[in-house]
Amino acid sequence: MIATKILKQRESLPVFSYRQEIIDAIKKENLLVIIGETGSGKTTQIPQYILEGFENCRLIGVTQPRRIAAITVATRVSEEHGTRLGEDVGYSIRFDDCTSSKTRLRYMTDGVLLREATLDTQLEQYDIIIVDEAHERTVETDVLFGLLKATHRLRPELKILIMSATLNVEKFSDFFNGCPIFFIPGRTFNVNINHHRDAKISSLKSTYVQRAVETALYVHTQESPGDVLVFLTGQNEIDKACRDLIAREKDLDYRTDVKYADEVRGMVVYPIYSTLETMEQKAIFDDPPRYTRKIVFATNIAQTSVTIPGIKYVVDSGFVKQKSYDPTTGMDALLVVPISQAAATQRAGRAGRTAPGKAFRLYSRESFEKLDEETVPEIQRSSLLSTVLSLKKMEIKDILNFEFIDPPDPLLVKNALRQLFLLGAIDNEGKLTSLGDEMSIFPLSPFLSRALIASARQFGCSKEVMTIVSLLSVEEVFISPRTEKKQTEADERRKEFYHPSGDHLTLLNLFEAYQDNGHSREWCRDRYLNHRTLSTAKNIRDQLRELMIKHNIPLISCRKKNSHNDEREKKKRKLNYLDAKYDSIKILESFSTAYYINIAKRHSHRPVFYHYASARSPGNEYVDANSSLLALHISPVSALFPENRVVKMDDLDWVMYHNMLYTNKALMKVVSRVNLEWVEEKLKLFKELENARLDGSSVAKESEDKIVENDSEKNDAKNKEVIEENERKNQRLEAIEAARQRALNRRTVNE
DNA sequence: CATACGAGG
């Protein structure tokens, strides 16, 4: 009975009528692009057709951009196939490998396949690779494209399928040697799109939240029953929009103001964004109470990752919060930017999943037509440090000429190469060193891999560094509450963990305490620590330990003997956890082997710091501490933040920082003290950069030198601009700060 | 004093 039902469901999918044609096409072609619109069933069905139609196929790999997709699709397909999950059909994601020797169809994240490719570039165990959701253009997908194209030359019998939902299909086919395209129509409903009459997107930036609320209210009062999804950009504005809309509803008289008052008599309003613990609160996914309209304010999470059922109306602000990496400064920026046409289309499509719908765009048709056609692929706005190390590990020598479907700015590649050289992962000819080979074992930022290996091979403290590295691989563990009172309390609780050397040891303290308290959720909540984040860090730590054991990298602790006898010492320092338990110098030295690239010296009489060198900006390396004008401040959550009074500022000279955030000033986020003697030898590498030929290409040297020259001239000019702008910014900030101080002093006198 | 859109190993 069940089997018949499943078969009926499978046969009702749009893709079913193309079953034989698809099988024939795959038999004939080793490179194939399949376009399947949302709801066509391509992800679950096509791999099964292969499973059923290709008897000699050993293993099929299907990549997904998201873990959750790999799990749910594999579960579904194993059900349809009539076997247990992990037998014929399984999935493989980080921390969770649900496959066996019997597995012939393996759903996996694109990241997992990429890591497999670093160990076996030919992907020998697979007969067919399917890259699904290719239109999402993750960094991993883009790298896989280049890799698979190269693999096709050496292993032409490997079948490569690219599956995508985009309409802009020729691009994939062009990239894969003009291979055939197979089109499967989808099953979605018509969405009527309404643009604002004249609003330009540039003028919306300061008003879109308010306009989105008004538009949601308009839909609520004027349109027939059906739920509403509103796209905004971030947590703050979503919370505000929810409050505003609820307030506006209070003024409604349903009898006179609401057109469909017979069926629409109330509303429920929900926010949704990734950090929301209430993601598990199912209400968002449930039907609203009868006669009630559900209105959801969402980030981009609702564009691809989360499907909310019952949506009939979409309100599109036209904006998204997007990370972009600036290769000239080496800093990430998180900015609100206009979306692309492709994204706008995808957002609108969310209104047509179960019935015909309507989309309301807060911007005009003219503005829509001026938007970029496609979103800039992630690979063109990310740091390529890890990617380039992986490619080096796969013995791709000339990375500047690696075949990317959309090549990143050469500056991004060059900067990654420079940093890998400074980390010792490649030599001055761009060749992977044995150190670099070892670094590529770990799924970590190469900076952290470097520190971890130093702690194991040189400093005998890899157990502790492994813990700290895990915590540095996850998002912020400290929660910042919204209310002032709770914020003060959170600040207080954090002090329990502060270590006088800075934040690296603070994180170690914190994790030890988390372990000692049985990973308790309650314990975390009381201390304003993010339990979910700490639990991820624990998983990463376990994985790192496994990898170290597997690759014979020593696991050594620098825990001191008799450390339990130092109660008096602890009291003296007013630190109630673990101080003096470890050889903290060794731990910091391990980190300094990588983070010498990020060291800064304190200003002679103010608590601000200046870069020693900026490896990230070509033409600007090896600058003297006093000649670089950008003032670096210590983050307020840091143990070393002056007002936390863990250390005397006069005792601080040099510090190293894990990362930097630029908002209205430059903030160093995870900071520890460092001795200049530890890193003096390393700093000489900056000089060596000048003569190194890292790009691995020796052809056309002369003309290339010219290009480099021009590049660096351009960069010099740009850097000068940046520095001057920063200087002006700092002067303004200093003036404001002085005024604030004067005002404070006056108030104190008055009181 | 004030990051935090989403995803991944």
Side-chain angles (χ1 to χ4, degrees):
Chain A
M1 275 294 273
I2 296 166
T4 331
K5 199 179 156 199
I6 285 175
L7 201 63
K8 277 232 168 88
Q9 272 175 6
R10 287 189 63 190
E11 288 174 0
S12 72
L13 288 164
V15 69
F16 180 72
S17 43
Y18 300 88
R19 185 175 186 275
Q20 197 53 48
E21 277 176 75
I22 291 169
I23 292 173
D24 293 345
I26 297 170
K27 279 198 171 136
K28 187 159 161 258
E29 309 289 343
N30 286 356
L31 291 174
L32 184 65
V33 173
I34 297 181
I35 306 307
E37 289 177 12
T38 324
S40 63
K42 63 180 188 313
T43 302
T44 56
Q45 301 308 304
I46 292 177
Q48 286 191 77
Y49 297 164
I50 300 171
L51 213 51
E52 293 152 2
F54 292 67
E55 272 142 38
N56 298 325
C57 182
R58 291 171 303 157
L59 182 59
I60 311 161
V62 186
T63 71
Q64 297 290 324
R66 279 172 295 282
R67 300 160 53 96
I68 185 77
I71 297 172
T72 50
V73 174
T75 308
R76 177 71 198 261
V77 170
S78 69
E79 248 172 56
E80 291 183 3
H81 191 66
T83 53
R84 275 179 38 200
L85 185 62
E87 290 180 354
D88 291 29
V89 183
Y91 67 86
S92 190
I93 61 177
R94 189 184 191 184
F95 310 134
D96 189 5
D97 181 8
C98 187
T99 59
S100 63
S101 56
K102 278 184 73 183
T103 303
R104 288 179 61 216
L105 172 53
R106 174 189 285 172
Y107 286 92
M108 62 217 292
T109 49
D110 46 16
V112 165
L113 186 62
L114 199 60
R115 278 216 79 81
E116 284 183 8
T118 62
L119 303 174
D120 170 20
T121 49
Q122 300 305 306
L123 298 165
E124 289 288 352
Q125 57 169 324
Y126 297 93
D127 286 332
I128 303 184
I129 296 285
I130 303 177
V131 180
D132 196 10
E133 311 289 358
H135 61 278
E136 289 201 25
R137 304 293 306 278
T138 65
V139 172
E140 288 81 9
T141 299
D142 273 20
V143 175
L144 280 173
F145 278 171
L147 228 50
L148 288 169
K149 190 171 177 180
T151 306
H152 175 73
R153 281 192 284 268
L154 295 159
R155 254 193 87 199
E157 78 282 3
L158 174 71
K159 291 195 179 289
I160 299 166
L161 255 72
I162 309 300
M163 302 209 293
S164 165
T166 187
L167 296 173
N168 183 8
V169 295
E170 286 82 12
K171 186 164 198 167
F172 295 133
S173 163
D174 287 350
F175 181 74
F176 286 103
N177 309 337
C179 71
I181 300 168
F182 200 104
F183 184 84
I184 304 160
R187 195 168 51 189
T188 49
F189 296 89
N190 184 45
V191 176
N192 183 328
I193 292 173
N194 301 273
H195 289 93
H196 188 273
R197 195 183 308 143
D198 49 20
K200 288 199 182 105
I201 202 139
S202 54
S203 67
L204 277 172
K205 209 161 182 179
S206 55
T207 59
Y208 68 83
V209 180
Q210 190 202 338
R211 284 171 185 244
V213 171
E214 273 157 22
T215 309
L217 198 67
Y218 167 83
V219 172
H220 184 56
T221 55
Q222 303 303 318
E223 297 284 347
S224 60
D227 298 337
V228 188
L229 174 60
V230 187
F231 284 101
L232 293 175
T233 71
Q235 181 177 339
N236 269 334
E237 66 187 37
I238 284 172
D239 290 341
K240 184 182 186 313
C242 289
R243 285 195 305 270
D244 288 358
L245 183 61
I246 290 166
R248 292 288 293 272
E249 194 213 4
K250 293 218 167 75
D251 302 333
L252 279 186
D253 180 341
Y254 275 83
R255 283 168 308 174
T256 55
D257 299 339
V258 178
K259 197 168 162 191
Y260 293 87
D262 285 351
E263 296 153 282
V264 179
R265 301 178 197 167
M267 64 163 76
V268 282
V269 182
Y270 298 114
I272 180 166
Y273 38 81
S274 74
T275 48
L276 197 69
E277 289 284 354
T278 50
M279 265 281 277
E280 300 97 52
Q281 270 183 17
K282 301 243 297 198
I284 295 172
F285 302 99
D286 291 344
D287 285 338
R290 209 166 168 216
Y291 302 128
T292 306
R293 197 195 295 274
K294 179 167 72 175
I295 301 179
V296 180
F297 288 93
T299 61
N300 232 28
I301 194 170
Q303 191 183 306
T304 47
S305 315
V306 171
T307 302
I308 303 158
I311 297 299
K312 195 172 166 192
Y313 304 99
V314 159
V315 177
D316 177 13
S317 64
F319 288 95
V320 66
K321 205 174 270 191
Q322 194 172 256
K323 201 145 90 174
S324 59
Y325 178 79
D326 179 352
T328 58
T329 59
M331 276 190 282
D332 272 327
L334 197 56
L335 300 169
V336 174
V337 295
I339 58 173
S340 66
Q341 291 182 3
T345 306
Q346 204 179 0
R347 284 180 175 188
R350 287 297 179 171
R353 291 300 293 261
T354 44
K358 274 190 184 178
F360 296 86
R361 291 180 175 156
L362 301 185
Y363 43 93
S364 64
R365 178 176 295 278
E366 200 190 355
S367 283
F368 171 79
E369 272 152 17
K370 282 186 190 152
L371 293 173
D372 292 342
E373 268 181 49
E374 305 281 339
T375 307
V376 176
E378 198 187 3
I379 201 162
Q380 294 184 334
R381 47 184 171 85
S382 308
S383 160
L384 297 181
L385 194 56
S386 300
T387 303
V388 172
L389 180 59
S390 301
L391 291 172
K392 284 284 177 191
K393 168 72 184 168
M394 294 181 240
E395 293 182 334
I396 290 154
K397 292 185 181 74
D398 184 3
I399 290 168
L400 273 173
N401 291 310
F402 180 74
E403 249 189 288
F404 288 107
I405 184 163
D406 282 311
D409 185 338
L411 199 57
L412 281 170
V413 179
K414 284 180 193 169
N415 281 337
L417 290 166
R418 298 159 68 90
Q419 291 203 342
L420 288 175
F421 173 74
L422 293 173
L423 292 172
I426 58 174
D427 64 19
N428 57 12
E429 290 172 332
K431 242 181 74 196
L432 191 71
T433 61
S434 58
L435 176 61
D437 190 70
E438 205 159 55
M439 282 164 66
S440 73
I441 291 167
F442 298 104
L444 291 170
S445 147
F447 275 78
L448 295 174
S449 297
R450 178 69 189 93
L452 184 57
I453 287 164
S455 73
R457 301 276 185 217
Q458 280 174 269
F459 299 105
C461 54
S462 53
K463 276 193 179 167
E464 289 74 26
V465 170
M466 178 178 78
T467 300
I468 300 168
V469 156
S470 307
L471 287 157
L472 291 175
S473 300
V474 295
E475 301 278 284
E476 183 70 76
V477 293
F478 297 112
I479 291 169
S480 295
R482 302 250 161 240
T483 66
E484 203 173 315
K485 193 183 151 224
K486 282 190 170 177
Q487 181 68 73
T488 318
E489 202 187 322
D491 288 349
E492 249 351 274
R493 300 312 301 262
R494 206 163 46 232
K495 289 182 178 156
E496 176 183 351
F497 308 111
Y498 281 157
H499 188 277
S501 74
D503 300 319
H504 292 82
L505 271 292
T506 297
L507 288 173
L508 181 62
N509 278 346
L510 188 156
F511 193 84
E512 296 264 335
Y514 167 70
Q515 298 265 63
D516 291 351
N517 288 281
H519 315 114
S520 152
R521 189 169 262 123
E522 205 173 33
W523 182 87
C524 289
R525 199 180 52 226
D526 291 347
R527 282 156 188 79
Y528 295 91
L529 301 174
N530 190 330
H531 180 263
R532 190 164 47 154
T533 309
L534 280 170
S535 149
T536 307
K538 184 180 169 295
N539 278 337
I540 293 175
R541 185 171 173 272
D542 292 344
Q543 189 193 20
L544 295 180
R545 191 201 288 111
E546 262 176 49
L547 284 167
M548 289 174 80
I549 292 166
K550 186 175 159 199
H551 291 92
N552 292 317
I553 297 170
L555 265 166
I556 317 163
S557 172
C558 64
R559 200 185 185 116
K560 288 177 181 167
K561 298 251 160 62
N562 309 322
S563 63
H564 52 278
N565 291 331
D566 61 357
E567 287 302 322
R568 261 176 55 209
E569 177 72 8
K570 279 193 215 165
K571 269 197 184 133
K572 206 170 75 191
R573 296 198 190 205
K574 290 186 185 167
L575 288 162
N576 48 15
Y577 217 89
L578 299 179
D579 193 36
K581 189 168 172 181
Y582 296 105
D583 190 340
S584 57
I585 299 292
K586 284 183 169 177
I587 295 171
L588 294 175
E589 275 193 272
S590 303
F591 279 98
S592 76
T593 61
Y595 289 90
Y596 76 93
I597 294 169
N598 292 350
I599 63 170
K601 186 177 172 54
R602 190 174 59 87
H603 186 279
S604 45
H605 50 274
R606 286 195 298 138
V608 298
F609 294 75
Y610 295 98
H611 271 285
Y612 178 79
S614 171
R616 290 156 164 170
S617 50
N620 191 28
E621 68 263 15
Y622 212 68
V623 272
D624 187 76
N626 297 316
S627 73
S628 172
L629 291 162
L630 180 61
L632 308 179
H633 296 250
I634 293 177
S635 156
V637 299
S638 168
L640 300 183
F641 184 61
E643 285 170 38
N644 287 334
R645 297 175 193 286
V646 178
V647 284
K648 281 196 189 128
M649 270 299 120
D650 290 347
D651 294 344
L652 265 187
D653 188 14
W654 288 89
V655 295
M656 59 180 158
Y657 59 88
H658 174 248
N659 55 1
M660 181 160 53
L661 166 75
Y662 202 100
T663 49
N664 58 352
K665 62 185 175 185
L667 277 188
M668 300 183 282
K669 291 288 289 188
V670 176
V671 192
S672 287
R673 60 169 71 237
V674 67
N675 288 353
L676 199 58
E677 305 91 76
W678 300 344
V679 298
E680 261 162 349
E681 275 305 304
K682 294 259 168 201
L683 289 166
K684 290 177 185 163
L685 288 171
F686 280 105
K687 264 284 186 234
E688 284 181 38
L689 263 179
E690 288 166 24
N691 301 317
R693 296 210 58 89
L694 304 175
D695 53 24
S697 65
S698 51
V699 282
K701 265 190 185 169
E702 216 169 291
S703 60
E704 197 180 81
D705 280 347
K706 244 184 204 150
I707 294 165
V708 170
E709 222 166 77
N710 288 341
D711 264 12
S712 77
E713 263 171 40
K714 219 167 68 190
N715 289 328
D716 281 351
K718 201 169 177 187
N719 281 331
K720 211 174 146 205
E721 264 173 46
V722 171
I723 288 171
E724 281 170 1
E725 173 58 27
N726 284 332
E727 193 184 11
R728 281 195 296 276
K729 231 179 215 169
N730 282 335
Q731 281 169 0
R732 277 200 303 276
L733 285 168
E734 273 170 20
I736 292 166
E737 176 56 25
R740 201 178 71 90
Q741 281 301 329
R742 281 197 301 276
L744 267 175
N745 288 341
R746 264 202 309 279
R747 205 167 64 192
T748 320
V749 172
N750 288 345
E751 278 163 7

